Amino acid sequence: MVNSVQNVAPGQQVVNPGGQLTKDSFLQLLVAQLTHQDPLQPTDANSMMQMETEFSTVEQLTNLNSSIGSMKSGGELSQAVSLLGHTLDYIDQDGLEQTGSASAVTVAADGSVEIAVGADTIGLADVRGVK
């Protein structure tokens, strides 16, 4: 992410090592462009409208990505809850196939869904079968 563009000379290339353009970095670049434009040749109305449209698109894509992430988490939670009380065939942390009854579902700090099966805690991807 671009942290600062205040000391960028006109014509100097700004490098974004993270490779991601967030809405904040987009705004910083827009402000830098407007700050360093030639007053005798200002940006025309069409170019400004295009930049505003691009900013709006970046913002809406960011919001859409967040919404999709929330829907995915909700779907995974629903799937895991439906496994409660069922006997599961699963792969444990050591890579061994195990069988046990799903007794609890939790959401970890990182948003992943965890299923308690006996002494093991597994993810949905570890489930191999439901009986």
Side-chain angles (χ1 to χ4, degrees):
M1 176 178 0
V2 176
N3 293 325
S4 176
V5 291
Q6 296 171 354
N7 298 322
V8 177
Q12 182 179 359
Q13 186 176 17
V14 178
V15 178
N16 183 0
Q20 296 182 352
L21 181 64
T22 64
K23 60 184 176 180
D24 292 333
S25 58
F26 183 85
L27 268 179
Q28 289 175 344
L29 288 171
L30 178 62
V31 169
Q33 180 179 4
L34 293 175
T35 302
H36 296 295
Q37 75 178 343
D38 183 355
L40 299 176
Q41 295 179 334
T43 304
D44 66 359
N46 289 336
S47 294
M48 275 307 283
M49 184 62 74
Q50 182 180 4
M51 283 188 266
E52 289 178 19
T53 301
E54 289 171 356
F55 173 71
S56 177
T57 301
V58 168
E59 184 174 28
Q60 289 181 11
L61 286 173
T62 302
N63 294 341
L64 180 61
N65 189 32
S66 176
S67 295
I68 289 172
S70 296
M71 287 175 30
K72 180 180 178 247
S73 295
E76 289 176 352
L77 182 60
S78 180
Q79 285 178 336
V81 167
S82 72
L83 297 175
L84 287 173
H86 288 84
T87 300
L88 307 179
D89 294 329
Y90 64 96
I91 305 296
D92 68 10
Q93 292 176 350
D94 297 325
L96 302 173
E97 288 193 32
Q98 301 288 339
T99 300
S101 180
S103 59
V105 173
T106 57
V107 178
D110 65 357
S112 63
V113 176
E114 298 177 338
I115 305 167
V117 183
D120 294 323
T121 301
I122 63 170
L124 280 172
D126 299 321
V127 177
R128 297 295 180 252
V130 181
K131 297 179 183 174

